[in-house]
Each structure stands twice: as C-alpha cells, then as structure tokens.
C-alpha cells in the first residue's frame, strides 16, 4: 500500500496555523470534509473520540490521528505541516508539527491497520521528515511523500 493510494495533492496543508490540538483537528476535519463529502462535524467527532482513548502523537513531532466512518468510500488521508508546533499530548511530550490524518470506512479492518503502519513507517524516515519540515510547498510535500514510496519499493 502506497501513500499515493491514501492522499491526493489537494489534501496537503503545507503551512497550517493552529493554536491548539483541538483547532488543528478541526482544520484537518474541514479539509477532509471537502475531499470526502462527509460532514465536517462527523469527521471531527470521530477523530476527537479516538484521541480521548489516547493521543495519536507518536513522537518526534509527528501525529497520526485516525478514525473510521460509515459514510466514507475509501481510505483517505490529509497531511499538514504546521508553521508552529502544538501540544498534542504526544508519547514523548514533544509538540507536533507534522500530522497525517487517516480516515477509513468502518469495514476497512486490516486495510486501515496496513495504512496506519505504512504511514508510521514512512514518517520514521529521518531524511524524509527533515525534507517535509524544510519546505512549505504542497507540491514538494506531495512529491516527497510519494517519492519515498518508489525508493522503498525498488
């Protein structure tokens, strides 16, 4: 499973300004609503409910909020690079500046877990993370995320 299967260029937010975790999740939900056609509030409530189980801040300034929705047709992602990191109650207590929101159909099961695993693996690449943090171009971010797939597949 490639990230290109999960995210489209319009789902990249390269210079997001958020003052809090809640505001960040609202802004991600807004973009996801535009891509999926689902109500923003439904997306927000779903990912907020998941966050209440435990933070999806995985460390190193990265968070992977996610949730399952009945009305979504396919696994869909939204990526944001924040101008200023926000407290995300991450595992390492570090503020977050790179966020990959993942939404999946309720019946996605193993595919949802494979997608989460793929995102986590890609975002563990320190060189890629440095590139993502160094640019504010949505085209460059999209290319970096997809370039990583082809170099890993070779």
């Amino acid at each position: 499973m490639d990230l290109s299967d999960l995210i489209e260029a319009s789902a990249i937010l390269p210079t997001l300004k958020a003052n809090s975790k809640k505001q960040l999740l609202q802004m991600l939900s807004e973009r996801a609503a535009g891509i999926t056609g689902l109500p923003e509030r439904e997306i927000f409530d779903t990912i907020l409910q998941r966050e209440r189980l435990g933070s999806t801040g995985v460390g190193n300034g990265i968070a992977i909020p996610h949730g399952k929705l009945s009305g979504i047709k396919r696994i869909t992602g939204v990526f944001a690079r924040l101008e200023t990191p926000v407290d995300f109650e991450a595992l390492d207590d570090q503020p977050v500046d790179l966020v990959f929101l993942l939404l999946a159909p309720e019946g996605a099961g193993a595919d949802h877990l494979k997608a989460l695993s793929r995102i986590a693996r890609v975002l563990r690449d320190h060189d890629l993370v440095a590139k993502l943090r160094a640019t504010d171009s949505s085209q460059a971010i999209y290319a970096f995320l997809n370039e990583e797939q082809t170099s890993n597949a070779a």
Side-chain angles (χ1 to χ4, degrees):
M1 177 178 295
D2 287 345
L3 291 192
S4 59
D5 297 331
L6 309 175
I7 194 163
E8 53 193 54
S10 66
I12 306 286
L13 300 165
T15 56
L16 195 63
K17 292 180 178 128
N19 298 317
S20 67
K21 178 179 179 176
K22 185 176 180 184
Q23 184 183 31
L24 169 60
L25 294 176
Q26 286 173 321
M27 296 166 104
L28 291 170
S29 298
E30 183 180 339
R31 178 58 60 100
I35 293 166
T36 64
L38 294 174
E40 179 183 335
R41 185 77 207 183
E42 183 181 339
I43 295 168
F44 177 72
D45 288 346
T46 298
I47 56 177
L48 192 61
Q49 187 175 1
R50 168 57 190 87
E51 284 299 318
R52 287 188 183 121
L53 299 175
S55 177
T56 56
V58 296
N60 192 31
I62 297 166
I64 311 172
H66 55 277
K68 292 184 179 180
L69 296 148
S70 59
I72 197 167
K73 304 275 187 273
R74 64 180 185 85
I75 298 177
T76 304
V78 176
F79 181 86
R81 177 188 157 278
L82 279 68
E83 285 198 349
T84 306
V86 298
D87 178 21
F88 211 86
E89 300 151 4
L91 297 175
D92 62 358
D93 289 325
Q94 296 300 309
V96 162
D97 66 338
L98 298 177
V99 184
F100 198 117
L101 170 66
L102 185 70
L103 301 172
E106 278 193 338
D111 287 339
H112 174 79
L113 294 176
K114 282 182 198 167
L116 279 172
S117 173
R118 183 75 187 132
I119 294 162
R121 197 165 41 252
V122 167
L123 293 178
R124 271 198 304 263
D125 179 329
H126 295 292
D127 293 336
L128 172 68
V129 168
K131 287 180 191 176
L132 293 172
R133 288 188 167 125
T135 185
D136 61 3
S137 160
S138 59
Q139 291 88 357
I141 290 170
Y142 184 72
F144 290 147
L145 289 172
N146 289 309
E147 164 189 298
E148 189 57 27
Q149 310 311 302
T150 51
S151 66
N152 279 351

